Amino acid sequence: MKVLSVVGTRPHFVKAAPVSRALDGACEHVLVHTGQHYDDALSERFFRELDIPRPDHDLRVGSADHGPQTAMMLSSLSAVLRAESPDVVLVYGDTNSTLAGALATAKLPPTLAHVEAGVRCFNRDIPEEVNRVLTDHASDLLFAPTETAVDNLAAEGVTAGVTNTGDVLYDALLWARDRLDAGVLDEFGVVPGEYVLSTVHRAHNTDDPERLGAILRAFGSLALPVVLPAHPRTREAVAAHGLDVPANVKLVEPVSYLDFLALLDGAARVATDSGGVRKEAFYLDTPCVTLREETVWPETVAAGWNELVGTDEGAIVRALTREWDLGEKPAPYGEGTRRSQSGRRYSVSSDPTEAPFALCLTHDVDRVRKSYQSLYYAVRDRDPHTCAGWCRAGTPTGSSTA
């Protein structure tokens, strides 16, 4: 069986890493990079750090407005899909690469599987929200990270092929956690627990001088230094808007995945408009201040580890300087490689480098069953008993990998 994964941004690389390790040896796996994030040096470091192979196809689409960028990806991906003829296409998250992969696959034979399905912020003015909804409604398999995501899909009439898999980003973080080097803090002149980490890259914040200016002014009011690895859009916006960067804000180049996690782990607080960073902060026990008015991860807010402040200058300062009453954390996103959020335990190794389980993904399903190694993987088959016989080599008894 052949599985083709479409990636295009650095968060995609992170999410695809544990999936790639799980698929290794179980099937033929083709990796396609759209080039939506096109920093060759940083991309190379991500692939090396995450221990995933270089892409089989690099489309090198680069930056453009939503319409032209998606159109270029769609055209190139259609050609790749026809040449590779995969059985399954995996798309991740909510970017233009995600949508292009979904649209390119939807009218072709392969099964379309969406990792991180059902996530919603309920604001259609956010481009990523449109990408999520369209991708979910085109998909055959929907891997939802939480029960909330499952409920969101059901509310939209999507129930077939849906399973709560837990969050694959947690699998990636558990793998990375023992590989972190706290020495990166020395490079930025900060010490553990005595700095704020920030990311600001959403167009909603960077394209509006009032919003971006309020964020920077709030940071300038803090007694602690702020480390801000800056997305190119952020740097361009600061210059274009003529904004001043406060003296305590260290505007630095983007950092690698492991270096960013080390900075996040050592930070007193993180202020971000990134969905992935909010979850990573939750996993690493770092209180998070979200520079948006809504979130796709309400579980972090309900647990008391994330506060939504938008770009209100006073609210940002208060959230970053107040004492946080942090109780015991729930596990809304599963427990990584150990347990599915549904509560059913599987006898699997906690070592994701071991030979993966066999994988079976087929069309025309009446029932979804799941197993996993690094990713909790969904399996579709007419006979629910067929998928019960997972093994470390070969395929489930009586099942077809076609």
Side-chain angles (χ1 to χ4, degrees), residues 59-76:
L59 306 184
R60 306 188 75 82
V61 168
S63 180
D65 288 339
H66 288 285
Q69 186 182 63
T70 306
M72 288 187 286
M73 291 176 185
L74 182 57
S75 176
S76 298

Side-chain angles (χ1 to χ4, degrees), residues 31 33 40 43-45 47 52-58 60:
L31 191 63
H33 181 12
D40 288 339
S43 293
E44 178 66 36
R45 186 170 180 184
F47 285 113
I52 54 178
R54 293 288 304 164
D56 299 282
H57 300 272
D58 190 344
R60 306 188 75 82

